[in-house]
Amino acid sequence: MTSNRREILKAGLLGSAVGMVGLPASAAASNGRERRRSMNLLVLGGTGFIGPHMVREALRRGHNVTLFNRGRTNNSLFPDLETIKGDRAGDLEGLQGRRWDVVIDNSGYMPQHVRHSARVLSDNIGQYLFISTISTYASYAQPNNEDSTLATIDDVPEEFSWQNYGALKVLCEQWAAEEVGDDRFTVLRPTYICGPGDHTDRFTYWPVRTQKGGVMLWPGSAAHPLQLIDVRDLANFVVDCVERRTLGTYNTVTPIGSYTFGNLLEDCQAITSSTVEPIWIDDAFLAANDVAVPIYHPISGEYAHVSSISGERARTAGLRNRPIRETIRDLMAWWDTLADERIANARFEMTPERETELLAAWTAQGV
Ligand SMILES: NC(=O)c1ccc[n+]([C@@H]2O[C@H](COP(=O)([O-])OP(=O)(O)OC[C@H]3O[C@@H](n4cnc5c(N)ncnc54)[C@H](OP(=O)(O)O)[C@@H]3O)[C@@H](O)[C@H]2O)c1
C-alpha cells in the first residue's frame, strides 16, 4: 500500500431549516445563529479529539449533553456530564429506553455496531447525525461531491482495518439510514480535521517542524492544493445541523483551491516567527523513495483530486471555515501546553534523520 493510501485511510439537499419559534431570551444565540431551543443531545464518544469540541460548543449554546463510551479515553474530561458506560461492540444496555432529541455518532467504524446503536435508539430520538469521512469516495482521480461514486466492499469483516475504512464508513451511513430513515438522518464527511487536541499529529507536523527553521523538505510545489477542516468549524457546523435539524449528506472541507502548501509555509513561518529555506521536492522523487509526507498526495493518478472535494452544499447549509492561520496559531498554543513526554513521542512520520537523508539524495540528483 502506498504511503498516500495509508495517509488517506488513517486520514463528507439543504435540510429543511426548522422555524425558530418559542426561543427563550437566553437562547438567543451569541453568534447571530438562530437556535430552536435547549436540546438533549447524546454523543456516542465525546472524549477523543473532535468530541470535546462538539460537547463544549453544545454546552456553550445551552444544550444538555450525555456521553456514551467505555470510559477509557480522557474519562475525567467532563465530570459534570452524565456518561453512560458501554461498548459499541455489544453493550448498549445503558441506552435502552432513554430519549434524546439528537444523537451525534463520532465513534462508528463498523456497520454492525452503527446499525445496532441506531436500532436501539431509533424509537427515542429526533435526529441521528453520523460523522463519516471523505474516504468514502471510491476514487480521487476526479473531483468528488456528495453524489459521487462510493467505495464498496464485498464481505463485511468482523474486525476493523484501515484498509477498509472508507468502504466500512459507507455501510455505516447506509445501515444507520435504513434504521432511522432519511427524514431524521444527517451525514458529515470531513477531510483532514486539524486543530487543538489532534492526536494524529499529521497537520501539526508542519508548524512544529517549521519552528525548528533551517533547510526544510516541502512536497510538490507551493501551488499544490490542500483541503482541511478546523475541528472548531466542524463542531460549530455539527451543532448548527442539530439546532436547524439539517438533514442529508455534507462534505465538510475548506473550499476547493482556497489553500495551498505555499500558504501553509507562509502561515507556519508567520505563526512560529521562524524562517525556513524550503526545498520543494517533486512527486516522482517522493514516490521513488516511498516518502510518507503528512497530509500530502501527488496531483496525478488515483489521488489527483483528493483536494478537490466539493464543500458547496455544506457552505450553503452554514459551514464557515476560519483562516488556517488561526488554526495554526491555536494549534501551537495547545501544543505548547503539552507535556515534554507527549511532544517527544509526537507521531511525526517524517523524522529529522529521514528528512536530512532525502534532502541529501535530492541535492545529489542535482535538480
Ligand atoms: N481525525 C480526522 O482527521 C478525521 C477525518 C475524517 C473523519 N474522522 C472521523 O472522526 C471520528 C473520530 O473522532 P474522535 O476519535 O476524535 O471522536 P471522539 O468522540 O472525540 O472520540 C472517540 C470516542 O469514542 C469512544 N469509543 C471508542 N471506541 C468505543 C466503543 N467501542 N464503544 C463505545 N465508545 C467508544 C471513546 O471513548 P472510550 O475509548 O472511553 O470508549 C471516545 O470518547 C471518526 O468517526 C472518524 O472517522 C476523523
Side-chain angles (χ1 to χ4, degrees):
M1 180 190 295
T2 63
S3 59
N4 297 327
R5 180 72 179 155
R6 197 168 46 243
E7 263 299 312
I8 286 187
L9 291 178
K10 202 190 241 185
L13 309 186
L14 180 59
S16 56
V18 176
M20 302 295 138
V21 293
L23 280 178
S26 63
S30 58
N31 47 24
R33 290 197 181 94
E34 294 167 6
R35 193 170 52 191
R36 193 171 54 189
R37 57 182 172 80
S38 176
M39 304 174 78
N40 297 319
L41 311 182
L42 170 67
V43 179
L44 300 180
T47 60
F49 167 36
I50 70 177
H53 291 278
M54 295 172 189
V55 171
R56 292 191 192 103
E57 181 60 17
L59 295 173
R60 191 186 68 76
R61 297 193 202 180
H63 300 299
N64 311 309
V65 178
T66 305
L67 304 179
F68 173 85
N69 54 57
R70 298 164 302 179
R72 295 182 194 167
T73 305
N74 302 325
N75 56 16
S76 58
L77 204 53
F78 297 110
D80 304 331
L81 296 184
E82 177 191 10
T83 295
I84 300 171
K85 289 273 177 57
D87 191 323
R88 305 286 311 254
D91 172 13
L92 302 181
E93 190 59 34
L95 299 178
Q96 300 282 359
R98 296 284 306 268
R99 182 175 293 280
W100 289 278
D101 294 302
V102 183
V103 174
I104 298 171
D105 185 349
N106 281 352
S107 57
Y109 293 85
M110 293 298 289
Q112 306 90 317
H113 301 163
V114 174
R115 177 167 57 193
H116 187 198
S117 49
R119 185 170 289 170
V120 166
L121 292 161
S122 183
D123 293 345
N124 296 316
I125 60 169
Q127 183 183 0
Y128 196 107
L129 186 149
F130 181 72
I131 299 293
S132 186
T133 166
I134 61 143
S135 297
T136 47
Y137 296 113
S139 160
Y140 309 93
Q142 73 295 315
N144 285 290
N145 65 34
E146 289 83 353
D147 302 320
S148 296
T149 307
L150 301 175
T152 57
I153 187 169
D154 299 333
D155 303 312
V156 181
E158 284 308 313
E159 296 297 320
F160 175 79
S161 68
W162 286 108
Q163 184 96 12
N164 300 321
Y165 173 54
L168 290 172
K169 277 282 190 175
V170 171
L171 292 175
C172 289
E173 295 179 6
Q174 294 168 349
W175 292 10
E178 282 165 17
E179 293 298 328
V180 303
D182 290 340
D183 61 347
R184 294 187 294 164
F185 194 53
T186 309
V187 174
L188 303 187
R189 293 178 179 155
T191 182
Y192 286 111
I193 307 172
C194 49
D198 183 2
H199 49 65
T200 70
D201 297 340
R202 292 174 300 192
F203 179 74
T204 314
Y205 165 80
W206 295 104
V208 170
R209 170 62 189 84
T210 300
Q211 194 169 44
K212 296 194 177 89
V215 177
M216 180 176 175
L217 185 158
W218 281 79
S221 71
H224 198 100
L226 179 59
Q227 279 185 303
L228 304 159
I229 179 82
D230 181 291
V231 65
R232 286 85 45 98
D233 295 340
L234 177 64
N236 285 337
F237 188 56
V238 165
V239 183
D240 285 349
C241 289
V242 161
E243 291 177 343
R244 299 172 182 168
R245 204 168 184 280
T246 304
L247 305 175
T249 300
Y250 302 83
N251 294 323
T252 53
V253 294
T254 44
I256 295 174
S258 66
Y259 201 70
T260 67
F261 273 84
N263 298 142
L264 179 60
L265 170 60
E266 283 163 24
D267 288 345
C268 288
Q269 291 189 120
I271 294 299
T272 63
S273 305
S274 314
T275 49
V276 297
E277 181 191 338
I279 304 295
W280 297 96
I281 296 193
D282 68 23
D283 291 344
F285 179 93
L286 295 172
N289 292 275
D290 196 24
V291 182
V293 181
I295 66 169
Y296 175 80
H297 305 281
I299 40 179
S300 60
E302 196 183 341
Y303 303 103
H305 290 283
V306 75
S307 293
S308 310
I309 308 287
S310 169
E312 290 320 302
R313 193 186 282 182
R315 253 173 296 291
T316 305
L319 173 67
R320 294 293 172 267
N321 301 100
R322 71 196 60 208
I324 298 293
R325 184 169 291 201
E326 244 182 72
T327 305
I328 296 170
R329 178 200 64 204
D330 300 343
L331 177 63
M332 291 307 285
W334 165 75
W335 186 256
D336 292 343
T337 68
L338 298 180
D340 294 348
E341 192 204 350
R342 166 69 175 83
I343 290 176
N345 297 320
R347 304 166 71 181
F348 295 149
E349 282 198 279
M350 179 68 74
T351 62
E353 299 73 26
R354 178 71 168 142
E355 185 187 12
T356 304
E357 178 193 310
L358 290 166
L359 287 170
W362 175 257
T363 311
Q365 271 194 194
V367 284

